[in-house]
Amino acid sequence: MKKIILAAVLFMATSATIQAQLLKIGVKAGVNFANQTGDAAFDGISVDKEGITSYHAGLVAEIKLLEKFSIQPELLYSTQGATYKSAGEEFKNELGYLSIPVMAKFYLSKSFSLELGPQASFLLSERNDFDVKNGETFEFGVNAGLGFKITESIFVQGRYGLGLTEASKDADVKNSVFQLSAGFMF
């Protein structure tokens, strides 16, 4: 009986160690340099677009599947949008999303990784200067970027995200964002 209990304890300890190596959970946050691509014309009047600087923050997990390959699902709050200018007037459109990217990470070395994957985003808030709530409630996009592990726990990432679906019900625009992130894995 003692041997069975000892074997069970050793098995559980080994399983916990293996799981700790295969799954890591953490947090990340960073800056967004966002803009909207496409034709933005309101009531037939063409407008110029400029990017906005905003932020993102949330949870991240890394599931190691192979020695040099992992899947990294994330749950982020991310603000995106643009500033529009026309005939001396300027207005800002800022959209707050719950974004769920699922990145495939290919490790080029122990520290550097190439990241590619899809992203689903759900509109949570819309703040603009012209009292119109015209953002689409769902957006789908793709992301690509690079990651660097400073230590086993601390990492930085640079990523470009391109929306593939319309961000507005009234204009033919799609979100695009460049993100710089820093994070910590537990």
Side-chain angles (χ1 to χ4, degrees), residues 149-163:
K149 285 184 178 181
I150 297 170
T151 67
E152 275 300 312
S153 299
I154 299 170
F155 65 91
V156 292
Q157 295 173 324
R159 180 181 298 171
Y160 178 74
L162 178 64

Side-chain angles (χ1 to χ4, degrees), residues 3-108:
K3 290 181 182 179
I4 293 173
I5 293 173
L6 180 61
V9 168
L10 288 173
F11 177 74
M12 289 183 350
T14 303
S15 295
T17 302
I18 289 171
Q19 282 184 339
Q21 292 174 351
L22 298 179
L23 173 66
K24 292 186 178 184
I25 297 174
V27 294
K28 74 180 243 182
V31 63
N32 288 349
F33 301 100
N35 207 339
Q36 292 181 326
T37 62
D39 182 30
F42 297 96
D43 294 329
I45 301 169
S46 183
V47 294
D48 295 325
K49 295 181 298 252
E50 288 186 6
I52 63 170
T53 302
S54 57
Y55 66 93
H56 64 275
L59 302 173
V60 60
E62 185 172 347
I63 305 161
K64 188 172 185 174
L65 299 178
L66 300 171
E67 184 179 339
K68 294 191 177 267
F69 179 72
S70 297
I71 299 293
Q72 181 173 303
E74 301 174 3
L75 185 63
L76 305 173
Y77 180 79
S78 179
T79 55
Q80 299 175 33
T83 299
Y84 294 90
K85 294 181 179 183
S86 175
E89 289 189 53
E90 178 178 307
F91 55 92
K92 183 177 183 180
N93 187 24
E94 188 174 286
L95 306 169
Y97 290 99
L98 175 65
S99 296
I100 307 169
V102 179
M103 305 301 289
K105 292 180 71 170
F106 302 93
Y107 280 93
L108 306 173

